[in-house]
Amino acid sequence: SIYSLWLARDELTEGFYLIDSDIFFTAELLRQLIQAPYENCIIVDNTKPYSNIDMKVRLADSKLTTMSKMLPEYETHGEFFGMSKYSQEGGMVFLSEVDKLVRQGKTDIWYEMALIEAAQKANIYAIYTNNLFWLEIDSTTDLEKARSLLGD
């Protein structure tokens, strides 16, 4: 949640990676994030059919312009699923937006709302999964799928 991120803000002063805790992903996907040529970027899955996308992303020139669960199909370029990195400067812009929303009492919203605002002030680029595997674990079915992939 945005509040958890806000609580950690004083530790995030040197630039940082932000990875949602319910994501199962390959080492190659993490390597792609680390080696991305952009200081501020999110990973976007550009391979899923629209009907299966949760947090829909709109881009312009590979830069984030907005995201929403309600974006129409013609505006959707893929799904943001919770893997991103920020430079010191980009992180400060993002965390400033997080702080602003929390101070307004919006402690039960997604941090993506702050990310949308930050994208209006700093370039946040998209890099793509290009079919690299990831899985959001939101249910016991998802957990069982992850376990089977690990050989448990």
Side-chain angles (χ1 to χ4, degrees):
S1 76
I2 196 169
Y3 191 68
S4 298
L5 181 57
W6 183 80
L7 290 173
R9 71 194 181 284
D10 292 338
E11 303 300 320
L12 304 174
T13 59
E14 303 289 322
F16 56 93
Y17 295 89
L18 180 59
I19 301 174
D20 290 4
S21 62
D22 63 347
I23 304 296
F24 177 72
F25 53 89
T26 63
E28 183 57 35
L29 194 56
L30 180 59
R31 193 172 302 109
Q32 184 175 327
L33 180 62
I34 292 168
Q35 296 174 351
Y38 308 111
E39 290 187 333
N40 305 301
C41 61
I42 62 173
I43 297 185
V44 172
D45 188 336
N46 59 336
T47 64
K48 289 174 83 174
Y50 176 80
S51 60
N52 293 342
I53 296 176
D54 187 28
M55 186 58 80
K56 298 161 181 68
V57 173
R58 183 175 66 212
L59 307 169
D61 299 320
S62 296
K63 291 181 261 185
L64 176 65
T65 60
T66 196
M67 62 176 75
S68 167
K69 293 183 179 243
M70 306 304 288
L71 273 181
E73 186 171 5
Y74 69 90
E75 290 185 27
T76 300
H77 295 103
E79 177 175 15
F80 174 63
F81 55 92
M83 295 182 75
S84 54
K85 80 171 178 178
Y86 306 92
S87 66
Q88 182 177 16
E89 183 180 332
M92 288 174 56
V93 170
F94 176 38
L95 292 172
S96 173
E97 296 301 324
V98 168
D99 188 62
K100 190 182 306 180
L101 289 168
V102 169
R103 291 186 188 281
Q104 292 171 4
K106 298 176 180 175
T107 58
D108 61 348
I109 64 171
W110 299 301
Y111 71 80
E112 287 87 348
M113 302 307 106
L115 186 53
I116 294 165
E117 295 304 315
Q120 308 312 307
K121 299 174 179 156
N123 289 331
I124 300 173
Y125 290 88
I127 58 173
Y128 298 104
T129 58
N130 295 320
N131 286 316
L132 292 174
F133 181 79
W134 67 274
L135 175 67
E136 186 172 13
I137 301 175
D138 286 332
S139 67
T140 55
T141 302
D142 295 339
L143 181 59
E144 290 306 316
K145 183 175 181 179
R147 283 183 175 152
S148 72
L149 293 167
L150 289 172
D152 274 3

